[in-house]
Amino acid sequence: MNARTIGGEWLFKYYWSFDTVPAASDFEQYAKAVMICASGDGSVTPGERSWIMGYFAALGCTEDLLDLLATYTADEPIEAVLAQSKPVNVSTRALIYDAIRACAADGALHPEEIARIRHMNHVLGLPGQVVDDWLAYHTEEDDIRLRRVEMTWPDPDDKPY
């Protein structure tokens, strides 16, 4: 077992209560769908691409997928991408959450990105409230993350890294 495998297993258990890790082949369509949402405002910013690549690397994706994501233009129709993977279609609510986090990774969650997420949500057959609930959750979670950092480093100049 290697660090990538252990890290991926830990994250899947922590975030989603999974007892096993999805097959490597399941990552590609999921990651593409997230990136397509991030391009909703016209482009995938460096911050968004960095978050997406880092997240999927932490989950244990392959080097080939990271290479693909490094240059992926995210211009495919979301319907076509979602249709290519049954496992993606059973992780729909997680996909909405991950898309929101990726879109916000550059510091701004643009209305066009939210519209793209809402479109994907509709294609997945989920109620519109799902996006609203995840948006509210994301705001709360981000506030808690910032509070944790402030509690750890009351003076940001004291951070060692």
Side-chain angles (χ1 to χ4, degrees):
M1 192 172 287
N2 63 41
R4 178 171 279 178
T5 302
I6 293 169
E9 288 175 355
W10 187 90
L11 282 171
F12 275 109
K13 184 71 168 175
Y14 179 81
Y15 274 107
W16 308 117
S17 298
F18 282 18
D19 293 324
T20 60
V21 175
S25 60
D26 294 338
F27 284 81
E28 182 176 334
Q29 303 314 318
Y30 192 104
K32 283 182 172 182
V34 168
M35 198 168 279
I36 289 167
C37 289
S39 73
D41 62 346
S43 67
V44 179
T45 67
E48 291 165 342
R49 190 176 302 273
S50 176
W51 187 93
I52 293 166
M53 291 179 66
Y55 181 60
F56 285 95
L59 291 175
C61 79
T62 64
E63 295 292 330
D64 288 342
L65 179 56
L66 288 178
D67 290 343
L68 181 137
L69 294 174
T71 59
Y72 182 60
T73 57
D75 57 1
E76 294 178 82
I78 194 72
E79 296 85 352
V81 170
L82 295 175
Q84 294 176 33
S85 174
K86 183 177 179 177
V88 165
N89 288 283
V90 297
S91 299
T92 55
R93 291 172 185 256
L95 179 57
I96 299 300
Y97 171 63
D98 285 338
I100 290 169
R101 296 191 300 161
C103 291
D106 61 356
L109 189 52
H110 297 281
E112 301 89 353
E113 292 169 331
I114 295 171
R116 181 75 55 91
I117 293 166
R118 287 190 187 284
H119 175 70
M120 180 174 69
N121 187 71
H122 175 75
V123 170
L124 293 168
L126 297 171
Q129 187 64 41
V130 169
V131 175
D132 296 333
D133 291 347
W134 276 126
L135 287 167
Y137 180 86
H138 177 263
T139 299
E140 293 169 16
E141 183 178 53
D142 205 41
D143 290 345
I144 289 170
R145 183 189 61 80
L146 291 173
R147 182 169 176 239
R148 183 186 70 239
V149 170
E150 290 170 355
M151 289 174 65
T152 305
W153 307 108
D155 182 350
D157 292 336
D158 290 341
K159 290 189 297 189
Y161 308 104

